[in-house]
Amino acid sequence: MKVSVYRKEHFNAAHRLYNPEWSDEKNQSVFGKCNNPSFHGHNYELVVKLVGEIDPETGYVYDMKVLSDLIKERVLKKFDHKNLNLDTDEFKKLNPTAENIAVVIWNILRKEIEEKYDLTVRLYETERNYVEYDGD
């Protein structure tokens, strides 16, 4: 019997969507106000979903305190209150779109969470806009 468990976290970060291979005009046309050279920020909501079997000894699919600590240590410390373009290695050469941020977070967590768990990262950039990545 597989059960899904979820941990929700929050972080704030600034970014600029920009492709250095394009002209300023094309960047502005594609990314609009998200291309602001002075950057802009979001209050991101991160939801991490794990799917697995219930451990008969603990009754847990996954210890949520362990998951919370893992997210805080590996993701929030790295991205919270940062300029993603300037302050993080992950986005020095990767456009920090919500899609790319979700994939980066998934890759960070996948290294730390056993493969027996299905992992999905859902990232809300705004209340109405979110992306989801499950490794496929």
Side-chain angles (χ1 to χ4, degrees):
M1 167 176 53
K2 291 203 172 193
V3 175
S4 301
V5 296
Y6 300 81
R7 177 67 188 181
K8 185 176 182 181
E9 296 287 352
H10 175 89
F11 67 97
N12 301 318
H15 68 162
R16 177 188 186 197
L17 302 186
Y18 178 79
N19 183 332
E21 302 295 317
W22 294 350
S23 68
D24 289 339
E25 292 76 22
K26 184 169 183 179
N27 273 291
Q28 185 60 37
S29 172
V30 171
F31 299 120
K33 61 184 176 180
C34 294
N35 176 247
N36 183 343
S38 297
F39 305 95
H40 70 283
H42 295 281
N43 298 314
Y44 291 98
E45 294 290 337
L46 171 65
V47 179
V48 176
K49 173 185 175 185
L50 295 180
V51 180
E53 300 286 335
I54 297 173
D55 182 313
E57 293 180 1
T58 65
Y60 291 160
V61 169
Y62 197 91
D63 185 327
M64 297 303 279
K65 173 72 168 108
V66 171
L67 182 58
S68 174
D69 290 345
L70 177 63
I71 295 167
K72 287 175 185 168
E73 183 62 34
R74 301 284 191 231
V75 177
L76 302 186
K77 276 188 177 181
K78 187 179 290 267
F79 299 137
D80 189 31
H81 285 83
K82 298 291 193 304
N83 180 314
L84 298 177
N85 302 77
L86 302 177
D87 299 332
T88 68
D89 292 334
E90 290 80 1
F91 298 105
K92 293 281 187 209
K93 295 182 180 178
L94 180 64
N95 206 7
T97 61
E99 293 88 339
N100 282 334
I101 298 167
V103 170
V104 165
I105 291 171
W106 187 93
N107 285 325
I108 290 168
L109 295 175
R110 182 79 279 172
K111 291 176 191 170
E112 304 290 332
I113 296 171
E114 294 174 79
E115 292 288 331
K116 71 179 183 178
Y117 300 102
D118 296 331
L119 169 65
T120 302
V121 167
R122 179 179 285 181
L123 183 68
Y124 288 83
E125 190 172 65
T126 71
E127 196 173 284
R128 295 187 191 108
N129 296 334
Y130 66 91
V131 298
E132 189 172 89
Y133 182 66
D134 65 5
D136 286 333

